[in-house]
Amino acid sequence: MDDHAQAYTPELVPTLGRQARAAAAQMASASAATKAAALRALAALLRQHGAPLQAANALDLERARAAGLAEPLLDRLRLSAAALETCAQGCEQLAALPDLIGEISGLRQQPSGIRVGQMRVPIGVFGMIYESRPNVTIEAASLAIKSGNACILRGGSEAIASNRALAALVQQALGAAGLPPEAVQLVPCTDRAAVGQLIALPQYVDVIIPRGGKGLIERISAEAKVPVIKHLDGNCHTYVDDPCDLELALRVTDNAKTQKYSPCNATESLLVARAVAGAFLPRMGAVFAAKGVQMRCCPESLAILQPALGLATTAPSAAASHDHAAPASSANGNAPTPLLVPATEADWGTEYLAAIISIKLVAGLDEAIAHINRYGSQHTDAILTTSHVHAQRFLREVDSSSVMVNTSTRFADGFEYGLGAEIGISTDKFHARGPVGVEGLTSLKYVVLGQGEVRG
Amino acid sequence: MDDHAQAYTPELVPTLGRQARAAAAQMASASAATKAAALRALAALLRQHGAPLQAANALDLERARAAGLAEPLLDRLRLSAAALETCAQGCEQLAALPDLIGEISGLRQQPSGIRVGQMRVPIGVFGMIYESRPNVTIEAASLAIKSGNACILRGGSEAIASNRALAALVQQALGAAGLPPEAVQLVPCTDRAAVGQLIALPQYVDVIIPRGGKGLIERISAEAKVPVIKHLDGNCHTYVDDPCDLELALRVTDNAKTQKYSPCNATESLLVARAVAGAFLPRMGAVFAAKGVQMRCCPESLAILQPALGLATTAPSAAASHDHAAPASSANGNAPTPLLVPATEADWGTEYLAAIISIKLVAGLDEAIAHINRYGSQHTDAILTTSHVHAQRFLREVDSSSVMVNTSTRFADGFEYGLGAEIGISTDKFHARGPVGVEGLTSLKYVVLGQGEVRG
């Protein structure tokens, strides 16, 4: 605890829950215009209050620096003017999107005479648990407003001053639009017990969305007494098929792996049809080598890449010592890291989040699909092919939340999918799969319109 | 355990799970024609094997009788020729329905050039836990086949011989159509430990659907390590609005309460707008009185009904002894049960499943909506009104899985809604609300079609 956090009491979270439940009913019946007005008011406040927001953020940064936080983590914590402008623009974009709440679909008359359809309605109250980035506070708040939900936010303790300043503006915007400020509440203390309570109050919280490391998400899933929209691994595959467009395959695979190493939708494993490997792999390997990407190869791909690239290979015994379980932080492309390494079984199931890729030759489509369904994490997988039949089978048979043809796995993202915003990516099959936007925070209830029909 | 059940071993359920997971992949990619063929084969087998099925059922009935099971429970257990024919017809109807699996919706091009849509796919493996009625075995199996899922069924121990005979036919039908028989497996033992395992194997089971008493469902929900599609109370309301069509209101309210007392979609609570109570309640009360329905009334409705019906009222002190928590089994309409009783606070939250109705006057729409959202169970609630504005507000603001205008709550049913079949009714908001058919056993994955686009 510190000056910017309130003291924890056991009554704190239940009180927030009661208030959220009451606010949720008002949010659910708010008009599209009112919700859009609140989002535009929030955008305006974020622009007007840049200086005080950055001052609050400076307190978090100072404390984090004093605590010895590494520079990449400080970066995530930083609320730059550009980051605030992005948040403001995100609110305006959401305000401009069509409002999904109340939409009725599939209304059809049944033999009895009644007409039956489904209406899209908010889920109610969601709890969001996240780590350092304070802009998640605005992303979650704006999605809650647009979707007609209430939410309770529990950000990282290191961002408490920033988050409290941001949440105060959100509540001001809600009030200005005539909506209940309690629709978006931040847990104002940093005590861990608050998280334990938040995930175990089904009477007040309908779903929990954790965003952060795998450890956090596994712990929350195991302990939650309410449904969790969770995102675990992103062990994404790109499969270069026979037949394929070689130039397209080179360009897309390069982008899928190297455009950015840390996102969950970056490709971690490359599968290549044996028939095209001779033409494809040497050129692809040269691109990876030039960018310092370590290739962890099956024996066959190694046998192609080694002579083609003229690179030394680490002996299997030495290579076996590389760390499969965690992102290989040492593998940043610098000289000491070998570029060609024999893969071990563990590589096929590993999400590196680093400049490392596993490479495996396969006989063709069947083996590729079987490999992905066995070792993948059901996140995002792509086929690069010119065969219509292969594309259709890949789309249908690969059991992942996003399946792609002839494009980069890096596109698996709520903004790129046109959702307007993203509160997370679900690797579950239940309720919502893949990028979760406004629609993932809603459900469908049945509406039945009659003219006095009775059941016989 | 008995002769018709296998011995329990701790390896039994995990083995079923592994087999189900393997079968699920084949079911997911089975063609619509193959699944329809399996359903038609099952219908034919049910008709051909009527005699041996009824012989197996006779064993269950005999054992149940010896164990002293009450007649209504024996009735639920009975697999009559008519019940088998209904099962067979249900399979044929499902076979004739359009196949939803693989359907792509919302495919739209995004600014990057990629086209993004969603494909409907099976959930994977569901576990079903149910009590006496053996026809649920066929309902669950046929829905699994149609939706491209695998399932593991755990029926009641009293129906084990019937269920094993039915499940054997299901596996025969699957095999005949070239589908894996392991797509539908019955837990062949009656040990309770098998249930505990089935609900705690997320690697093999994606969702659990319990069907039975509230106690069973609460226990499973509390202990499950996978999502549960659950159905708790059905405390359904009919609200007679001002203005309304009086004749329609009388006919529909009568049907909603008295057409059948035991289903979860029967109306348990009647709300009446004060302005129409004088015209409506005496006539409605006369209908209820004639059918022996006990009316538990607020003071105002009691003051209208008592003189109108000329009935004696039990004094509040005596009435307070009626059982609010459980269905009032004594209240079967026979002479000793008083027809007019003052309601207590507990009545507003009670699902009677019996010839009892609670009655309350309200000022109008606002109070009706507030009452339903406070005391209801989010199952099914209806407004009877001639006001378009009131109908729209009721549909939007009542937070229940089915909201109805001018028709009977008894219509809340998968068949009546045109779903073709129903595996249960969900009172949850997450994933599926209301009657759950084929669609509730599926989810949507993203499909992304590109032409070599890369992310910038």
Side-chain angles (χ1 to χ4, degrees):
Chain A
M1 219 191 74
D2 63 82
D3 299 348
H4 307 287
Q6 280 184 16
Y8 169 78
T9 68
E11 256 316 293
L12 181 65
V13 174
T15 301
L16 296 177
R18 261 189 303 277
Q19 291 172 173
R21 185 58 86 205
Q26 289 178 260
M27 293 299 288
S29 60
S31 74
T34 303
K35 291 182 282 180
L39 288 167
R40 284 191 300 263
L42 178 53
L45 286 170
L46 288 168
R47 291 196 178 104
Q48 286 159 25
H49 292 255
L53 286 171
Q54 289 187 276
N57 186 239
L59 294 173
D60 286 333
L61 285 166
E62 201 174 296
R63 213 176 18 178
R65 244 183 241 110
L69 235 67
E71 192 53 44
L73 292 176
L74 290 174
D75 243 12
R76 294 165 69 88
L77 186 54
R78 191 167 286 119
L79 212 49
S80 65
L84 284 172
E85 178 56 26
T86 302
C87 285
Q89 285 178 11
C91 293
E92 287 169 340
Q93 283 164 15
L94 266 183
L97 279 184
D99 195 293
L100 300 181
I101 301 304
E103 183 184 56
I104 294 180
S105 55
L107 194 73
R108 274 195 286 266
Q109 194 169 35
Q110 300 301 322
S112 63
I114 59 173
R115 285 178 297 149
V116 180
Q118 287 180 298
M119 183 191 282
R120 192 164 290 285
V121 292
I123 289 264
V125 177
F126 68 87
M128 179 104 188
I129 297 163
Y130 50 107
E131 292 172 340
S132 35
R133 291 173 54 230
N135 41 345
V136 174
T137 303
I138 297 301
E139 290 171 20
S142 58
L143 271 165
I145 295 169
K146 184 71 183 185
S147 60
N149 285 289
C151 68
I152 301 176
L153 307 176
R154 212 296 188 169
S157 56
E158 64 283 10
I160 185 77
S162 313
N163 285 338
R164 294 192 73 178
L166 289 166
L169 293 187
V170 173
Q171 297 201 326
Q172 195 180 329
L174 284 163
L179 291 170
E182 297 78 18
V184 177
Q185 299 176 103
L186 182 79
V187 178
C189 73
T190 57
D191 199 290
R192 286 281 289 273
V195 173
Q197 280 186 294
L198 187 59
I199 65 176
L201 288 172
Q203 66 273 45
Y204 300 132
V205 178
D206 297 296
V207 56
I208 288 286
I209 306 168
R211 238 162 94 169
K214 197 176 171 183
L216 170 80
I217 292 165
E218 283 179 334
R219 202 167 56 243
I220 284 169
S221 303
E223 293 168 18
K225 300 287 176 208
V226 298
V228 177
I229 295 180
K230 63 175 171 289
H231 169 223
L232 292 171
D233 296 19
N235 181 22
C236 304
H237 294 75
T238 294
Y239 165 55
V240 179
D241 189 34
D242 167 35
C244 72
D245 174 333
L246 213 61
E247 301 305 322
L248 180 152
L250 288 163
R251 187 171 72 248
V252 170
T253 306
D254 177 22
N255 183 265
K257 179 66 230 179
T258 72
Q259 194 253 346
K260 216 168 177 183
Y261 296 121
S262 59
C264 59
N265 56 19
T267 284
E268 303 290 13
S269 200
L270 171 64
L271 304 178
V272 184
R274 196 162 284 126
V276 302
F280 173 77
L281 264 188
R283 291 179 62 191
M284 192 73 250
V287 172
F288 286 150
K291 296 190 177 183
V293 175
Q294 183 182 72
M295 293 162 265
R296 300 192 180 175
C297 301
C298 71
E300 278 185 284
S301 56
L302 199 63
I304 293 172
L305 281 167
Q306 200 168 1
L309 302 180
L311 280 168
T313 314
T314 313
S317 59
S321 70
H322 62 236
D323 180 2
H324 296 291
S329 54
S330 66
N332 54 9
N334 291 340
T337 307
L339 287 169
L340 276 182
V341 175
T344 66
E345 173 71 11
D347 277 304
W348 312 127
T350 299
E351 180 185 28
Y352 303 115
L353 300 172
I356 308 175
I357 191 166
S358 63
I359 301 178
K360 189 178 195 312
L361 296 206
V362 292
L365 182 68
D366 284 325
E367 190 181 341
I369 292 173
H371 180 97
I372 293 169
N373 283 339
R374 172 165 179 198
Y375 294 102
S377 62
Q378 306 192 314
H379 190 296
T380 300
D381 300 288
I383 184 173
L384 310 181
T385 188
T386 54
S387 161
H388 178 69
V389 172
H390 288 193
Q392 294 297 313
R393 277 198 55 208
F394 189 91
L395 288 177
R396 178 133 183 200
E397 297 178 27
V398 170
D399 185 21
S400 299
S401 69
S402 290
V403 284
M404 300 183 165
V405 177
N406 291 339
T407 193
S408 169
T409 56
R410 287 280 292 113
F411 277 114
D413 174 279
F415 291 94
E416 296 291 345
Y417 283 7
L419 307 185
E422 175 187 294
I423 199 142
I425 293 184
S426 165
T427 54
D428 281 323
K429 288 181 171 187
F430 206 64
H431 186 72
R433 290 186 86 170
V436 178
V438 173
E439 195 172 303
L441 296 172
T442 66
S443 68
L444 296 172
K445 71 180 181 188
Y446 281 98
V447 294
V448 180
L449 306 181
Q451 301 174 82
E453 291 81 359
V454 295
R455 190 140 172 209
Chain B
M1 218 192 76
D2 65 82
D3 299 348
H4 307 287
Q6 282 183 17
Y8 169 77
T9 68
E11 256 317 292
L12 181 65
V13 175
T15 301
L16 296 178
R18 262 189 302 277
Q19 291 172 173
R21 184 59 85 205
Q26 288 178 261
M27 292 300 287
S29 60
S31 73
T34 302
K35 290 181 283 180
L39 288 167
R40 284 191 299 263
L42 177 54
L45 287 169
L46 288 169
R47 292 197 176 104
Q48 286 159 27
H49 293 254
L53 286 171
Q54 289 188 274
N57 186 239
L59 295 173
D60 286 333
L61 286 167
E62 203 174 294
R63 214 175 17 177
R65 245 183 240 109
L69 234 68
E71 191 54 41
L73 292 175
L74 289 174
D75 244 11
R76 294 167 68 88
L77 186 53
R78 191 167 288 122
L79 213 49
S80 65
L84 284 171
E85 177 56 28
T86 302
C87 285
Q89 285 178 13
C91 293
E92 287 169 341
Q93 282 164 15
L94 265 182
L97 278 184
D99 195 296
L100 299 182
I101 300 304
E103 184 184 54
I104 294 179
S105 55
L107 194 72
R108 273 197 287 265
Q109 194 169 35
Q110 300 301 323
S112 63
I114 60 173
R115 284 176 300 149
V116 180
Q118 287 181 297
M119 183 190 283
R120 192 165 290 285
V121 292
I123 289 263
V125 177
F126 67 88
M128 180 103 188
I129 297 163
Y130 50 107
E131 293 173 339
S132 35
R133 289 174 55 228
N135 42 345
V136 174
T137 303
I138 298 300
E139 290 171 22
S142 58
L143 271 167
I145 295 170
K146 184 71 183 185
S147 60
N149 285 289
C151 67
I152 301 175
L153 307 176
R154 212 298 188 163
S157 55
E158 65 283 10
I160 185 78
S162 313
N163 285 338
R164 292 192 73 178
L166 289 166
L169 293 187
V170 173
Q171 296 201 327
Q172 195 181 327
L174 285 163
L179 291 171
E182 297 78 16
V184 178
Q185 298 176 104
L186 183 78
V187 178
C189 72
T190 58
D191 199 292
R192 285 281 290 271
V195 173
Q197 282 186 294
L198 187 59
I199 64 175
L201 288 172
Q203 66 273 44
Y204 301 132
V205 178
D206 297 296
V207 57
I208 289 285
I209 306 168
R211 238 161 94 167
K214 198 177 170 183
L216 171 81
I217 292 167
E218 283 179 333
R219 202 168 56 243
I220 284 169
S221 302
E223 291 169 17
K225 300 287 176 209
V226 299
V228 177
I229 295 180
K230 65 174 169 292
H231 169 222
L232 292 171
D233 297 17
N235 181 22
C236 304
H237 294 75
T238 294
Y239 165 55
V240 179
D241 189 34
D242 167 35
C244 72
D245 173 334
L246 212 61
E247 302 304 322
L248 180 151
L250 289 162
R251 187 171 74 246
V252 170
T253 305
D254 178 21
N255 184 266
K257 178 68 232 178
T258 73
Q259 195 253 346
K260 217 171 178 182
Y261 296 121
S262 59
C264 59
N265 55 20
T267 285
E268 304 288 14
S269 200
L270 171 63
L271 304 178
V272 183
R274 195 162 285 127
V276 302
F280 173 77
L281 264 188
R283 292 179 63 190
M284 192 73 250
V287 172
F288 287 150
K291 296 190 177 183
V293 175
Q294 184 182 73
M295 294 163 263
R296 300 194 179 174
C297 302
C298 70
E300 278 184 283
S301 54
L302 199 63
I304 293 172
L305 282 166
Q306 202 170 358
L309 302 179
L311 281 168
T313 313
T314 312
S317 58
S321 69
H322 62 237
D323 181 2
H324 297 290
S329 54
S330 67
N332 54 9
N334 291 339
T337 307
L339 286 169
L340 276 183
V341 175
T344 66
E345 173 72 10
D347 277 303
W348 311 127
T350 299
E351 180 185 28
Y352 304 115
L353 301 171
I356 308 174
I357 191 165
S358 63
I359 301 178
K360 188 179 196 312
L361 296 206
V362 292
L365 182 68
D366 284 326
E367 190 182 341
I369 293 174
H371 180 96
I372 293 169
N373 284 339
R374 172 164 179 200
Y375 293 102
S377 63
Q378 306 192 316
H379 190 294
T380 300
D381 300 288
I383 184 174
L384 311 181
T385 188
T386 54
S387 160
H388 179 69
V389 172
H390 288 192
Q392 294 297 313
R393 277 197 55 207
F394 190 90
L395 289 176
R396 178 132 183 201
E397 295 178 27
V398 170
D399 184 24
S400 299
S401 68
S402 289
V403 283
M404 300 184 164
V405 177
N406 289 341
T407 193
S408 169
T409 56
R410 288 280 292 112
F411 277 114
D413 174 279
F415 292 93
E416 296 292 344
Y417 283 5
L419 306 184
E422 175 187 294
I423 200 142
I425 293 184
S426 165
T427 53
D428 280 323
K429 288 180 172 187
F430 205 65
H431 186 71
R433 289 187 88 170
V436 178
V438 173
E439 195 172 304
L441 296 171
T442 66
S443 68
L444 297 171
K445 71 181 181 187
Y446 281 99
V447 295
V448 180
L449 306 180
Q451 300 175 82
E453 291 81 359
V454 294
R455 191 144 171 206

